[in-house]
Amino acid sequence: MFDTTLNVIDLQRDYLAVVLIALFRANSTPVVHVPHFEKSPAVGFLLEGTPGAEIDPRVAPQGDEMLITKNYPNAFRDTTLAKILHVPGAKEFFLRRDEQYVYQCHGPGGVRPQDLL
């Protein structure tokens, strides 16, 4: 089991960062990738199969890193992310949402995944 994870959400070519993932990989800490794919072509970006929706090779999943795709702005809606974060023994996770925010969440008693919905 693991007690810390980095959850990478919406980190595709239309969004991007590299250093935090490299740090977690260097420390053999699990990384969970959660790319967003829009279902509606009317949105105009993050459409599956388009260049902008591709995960940048610098941050693409490697080895046994988990990949969970989402279709809503909420990484927990209709995905298995909450189940993965609630594994016995998990104490802390980092949620990298965009260029401005990295959330550090502690459990139990800290910020829970459902608090971020």
Side-chain angles (χ1 to χ4, degrees), residues 2 5 7 9 32-34 66-70 74-93 95 111-117:
F2 50 88
T5 66
N7 301 282
I9 298 173
V32 179
H33 300 262
V34 187
M66 290 179 259
L67 177 68
I68 301 168
T69 59
K70 68 183 186 77
N74 182 328
F76 298 100
R77 181 177 172 187
D78 295 340
T79 72
T80 58
L81 184 58
K83 183 181 273 188
I84 289 168
L85 297 179
H86 282 106
V87 296
K91 298 175 187 166
E92 177 176 53
F93 69 96
L95 190 62
V111 176
R112 301 166 299 160
Q114 59 266 35
D115 295 333
L116 300 172
L117 300 177

Side-chain angles (χ1 to χ4, degrees), residues 7 9 11 16-17 20 94-99 101-102:
N7 301 282
I9 298 173
L11 202 54
L16 188 62
L20 195 56
F94 291 78
L95 190 62
R96 199 227 174 257
R97 172 62 177 87
D98 54 37
E99 293 297 326
Y101 302 102
V102 174

